[in-house]
Amino acid sequence: MEKDIAKILFSQDDLDNKVKELGEKISKDYKDKELVLIGVLKGASVFMSDLMRSIDIPISIDFMAVSSYGLSTTSSGVVKILKDLDHSIEDKHVIIVEDIIDTGLTLHYICENLKSRKPKSLKICTLLDKPERRKVEMTVDYKGFDIPDEFIVGYGIDYAEKYRNLPYVGILKRNVYEK
Ligand code: IMP
Ligand code: MG
């Protein structure tokens, strides 16, 4: 796996520190509120499990799975719900937890869909953001890092279902996917 990584962008320490920072901020902002974290599978699973343990107020969690890229590296804009939430979010304060926002098409679709279920509030938390690639406007309320327009993997994020178990975030060598 390591030999396919061109450069490490964020080490385990970088990620730990940033996740703690985000967790503290969310804990403050949602004190005395009923908060549900919604993780977007599978990419956000590692971030989600670290983030929730850095939040020190009572919360509940749920997960949603959508298809976006398939096995390619560019967004199709076609989003399909593969797994829906287990519980209603009506009247709840909701934060969607994403691994990475690229064009924004996936999250835009998820947001519109969740808004129709009448949450009390709906915010976005993403570990990584590629702002220059955005195709739809969107407010990101909690963000870990901005990254350049490169294809990255690790810390839950995959290429063709591989590399999710790397403990850091790195840039994937182009020769791995440009064949
Ligand atoms: P968007 O719809 O273009 O914003 O794409 C969002 C989803 O595509 C993310 O949640 C990721 O799962 C995936 N994605 C976007 N950029 C990358 C990347 O650089 N590496 C791996 N997956 C990515
Ligand atoms: Mg994702």
Side-chain angles (χ1 to χ4, degrees):
M1 281 198 302
E2 322 256 297
K3 69 171 183 3
D4 297 338
I5 303 303
K7 187 182 166 202
I8 295 179
L9 282 183
F10 306 110
S11 69
Q12 264 177 290
D13 267 358
D14 297 335
L15 295 165
D16 276 358
N17 291 334
K18 187 56 82 175
V19 170
K20 286 207 180 89
E21 206 180 284
L22 289 169
E24 275 167 26
K25 192 150 191 297
I26 291 172
S27 306
K28 246 187 234 157
D29 294 352
Y30 288 85
K31 197 171 179 295
D32 303 320
K33 289 184 176 150
E34 204 174 338
L35 174 62
V36 186
L37 294 184
I38 296 180
V40 184
L41 296 171
K42 294 172 231 176
S45 58
V46 178
F47 176 41
M48 176 86 161
S49 69
D50 282 346
L51 181 68
M52 68 176 152
R53 285 176 293 175
S54 72
I55 295 176
D56 63 4
I57 55 167
I59 57 160
S60 56
I61 64 163
D62 208 335
F63 290 96
M64 216 170 166
V66 298
S67 68
S68 49
Y69 282 13
L71 295 183
S72 119
T73 59
T74 46
S75 197
S76 60
V78 180
V79 180
K80 196 172 133 203
I81 296 182
L82 304 174
K83 183 220 168 284
D84 206 344
L85 300 177
D86 290 336
H87 302 287
S88 162
I89 54 168
E90 193 171 339
D91 272 339
K92 305 262 168 72
H93 292 282
V94 173
I95 298 180
I96 304 173
V97 179
E98 252 290 31
D99 50 357
I100 173 166
I101 306 177
D102 187 27
T103 62
L105 291 170
T106 309
L107 208 50
H108 179 75
Y109 175 87
I110 295 176
C111 279
E112 290 307 306
N113 183 292
L114 294 187
K115 268 185 210 158
S116 71
R117 306 182 197 193
K118 312 241 169 10
K120 204 173 263 175
S121 69
L122 182 66
K123 299 224 160 152
I124 293 171
C125 175
T126 188
L127 178 68
L128 306 172
D129 190 7
K130 293 181 192 168
E132 46 181 299
R133 297 254 311 161
R134 198 73 88 254
K135 283 188 187 154
V136 282
E137 220 176 290
M138 116 174 5
T139 310
V140 181
D141 306 282
Y142 302 95
K143 186 197 288 196
F145 305 96
D146 278 331
I147 56 167
D149 181 14
E150 299 272 7
F151 198 81
I152 59 94
V153 293
Y155 197 67
I157 302 164
D158 75 310
Y159 168 64
E161 296 299 329
K162 280 172 68 188
Y163 309 100
R164 292 193 198 274
N165 55 323
L166 285 175
Y168 51 80
V169 168
I171 297 174
L172 188 65
K173 283 186 184 164
R174 282 184 179 272
N175 67 356
V176 177
Y177 57 90
E178 282 177 356
K179 274 175 188 159

